[in-house]
Amino acid sequence: MIKAIIVDDEKLSRNTLKKLLEIYCPDVEVIAESDNVASATIQVMQLQPELVFLDVAMPGKNGIDFLKELDDIKFEVIFVTAHDKYILQAIRLAAVDYLQKPVDGQQLITAVSNAAKRIIQKSANYQVKTLLHNMQPKINQQEMQLCIPSLKGFQVVQVSDVIFCEAENTYTYIHFKDNKKTLASRPLMDYELLLEDSLFFRIHKSTLVNMRHIKEYQKGEGGFVTMTNGKQLEVSRRKKESFVTKMKEVFKY
């Protein structure tokens, strides 16, 4: 059994999540629940849960404040949140599991399954640390960190260090400005969605570029871009018009 705590200021939300866990995730035992950060902190210290379902938006101190105040995070976190574009972007970049209200049963199963794997592996909670970085006040999208899952674990990088992403079947090669690259165990489509607010653009079916790293664009049937690492990448004919429009928006020419 996975020992879990639910932290949410809405009693109805807590009751609904408990019922869904009973139906879809019988291996999760809810050992406590809390409607505020202060009591949740005490429960975590006393009960040592393996998993915390954490609401982001609560009166007073919120879910992010709760994590910031803990000296050592020894549990996995699944965020439960209403839609907030900025918060969801920070969560996705950090590869943290989350559930949007109203909670869907299949998504709950997937999130709990992911958390269970990390509990068994006793992996360091890189995702939460990355999220806390991303939630710093006034941080922009390029300054955020990206948690990249690989076959060996996780790698944390600055979004601004990524030059381009390249499809490799169902995986993605991510190229960095130090001329290194890593193979991420997620498809390129995932990174297209993940980085859509961070000035990345899909110029080809197999290529996603960081527009802040484009040095030059050469016209052609589709054309080519030259990146800051010297790589020349093809722009597909189908993407040319939308790419040029996006360039004009970003660089104001």
Side-chain angles (χ1 to χ4, degrees):
M1 297 291 287
I2 298 173
K3 297 189 298 180
I5 289 176
I6 298 174
V7 184
D8 193 317
D9 64 295
E10 297 178 356
K11 185 173 180 59
L12 178 60
S13 294
R14 298 198 304 272
N15 289 341
T16 299
L17 182 55
K18 282 195 295 183
K19 180 59 67 175
L20 288 172
L21 286 168
E22 289 174 5
I23 296 171
Y24 294 104
C25 305
D27 289 342
V28 176
E29 178 188 4
V30 179
I31 58 174
E33 56 183 274
S34 176
D35 63 1
N36 63 81
V37 168
S39 62
T41 301
I42 294 171
Q43 289 174 348
V44 164
M45 293 173 63
Q46 292 179 342
L47 301 175
Q48 299 292 306
E50 297 165 291
L51 177 61
V52 173
F53 292 92
L54 182 60
D55 186 20
V56 175
M58 293 184 286
K61 293 181 177 180
N62 60 31
I64 304 300
D65 296 325
F66 166 67
L67 294 174
K68 286 179 179 177
E69 291 183 359
L70 296 174
D71 294 329
D72 191 15
I73 299 172
K74 297 181 179 179
F75 51 82
E76 292 297 327
V77 178
I78 296 176
F79 284 97
V80 185
T81 179
H83 181 74
D84 181 304
K85 188 173 182 179
Y86 181 83
I87 291 175
L88 286 180
Q89 177 72 349
I91 289 173
R92 292 185 185 118
L93 287 172
V96 178
D97 284 298
Y98 69 95
L99 302 165
Q100 285 188 253
K101 297 178 180 179
V103 175
D104 173 77
Q106 190 57 52
Q107 291 179 346
L108 178 61
I109 292 171
T110 300
V112 168
S113 175
N114 290 340
K117 291 174 185 176
R118 293 194 296 269
I119 290 169
I120 292 172
Q121 294 168 353
K122 300 185 185 298
S123 59
N125 212 326
Y126 296 115
Q127 297 98 315
V128 172
K129 293 177 182 177
T130 302
L131 174 64
L132 294 180
H133 169 85
N134 290 348
M135 291 301 297
Q136 292 179 78
K138 298 182 180 179
I139 191 170
N140 66 44
Q141 299 288 352
Q142 287 269 320
E143 291 172 330
M144 286 188 175
Q145 291 181 341
L146 174 65
C147 198
I148 303 171
S150 67
L151 298 177
K152 296 180 180 179
F154 284 93
Q155 182 177 348
V156 179
V157 302
Q158 293 287 129
V159 170
S160 59
D161 288 344
V162 178
I163 296 181
F164 69 97
C165 304
E166 179 183 23
E168 178 66 22
N169 297 319
T170 58
Y171 295 89
T172 303
Y173 272 114
I174 299 181
H175 297 254
F176 305 107
K177 65 182 184 182
D178 60 1
N179 288 320
K180 293 181 180 179
K181 66 180 180 179
T182 191
L183 184 63
S185 55
R186 297 178 67 171
L188 185 64
M189 182 180 295
D190 282 7
Y191 287 102
E192 181 181 15
L193 295 173
L194 193 61
L195 297 165
E196 62 182 349
D197 295 324
S198 302
L199 296 180
F200 280 70
F201 190 87
R202 186 89 170 257
I203 62 170
H204 190 277
K205 65 180 181 180
S206 62
T207 316
L208 176 73
V209 300
N210 185 343
M211 300 187 75
R212 289 297 185 191
H213 279 287
I214 294 175
K215 286 180 63 178
E216 182 183 4
Y217 169 64
Q218 298 177 26
K219 293 180 180 180
E221 186 174 5
F224 293 87
V225 291
T226 302
M227 308 304 291
T228 54
N229 65 348
K231 290 285 187 180
Q232 191 175 68
L233 305 170
E234 180 184 0
V235 179
S236 71
R237 182 175 58 183
R238 186 172 61 88
K239 291 286 187 176
K240 178 179 178 178
E241 184 176 346
S242 56
F243 169 70
V244 172
T245 299
K246 187 67 174 179
M247 286 285 287
K248 291 178 178 179
E249 289 175 5
V250 172
F251 296 104
K252 312 296 182 188
Y253 75 89

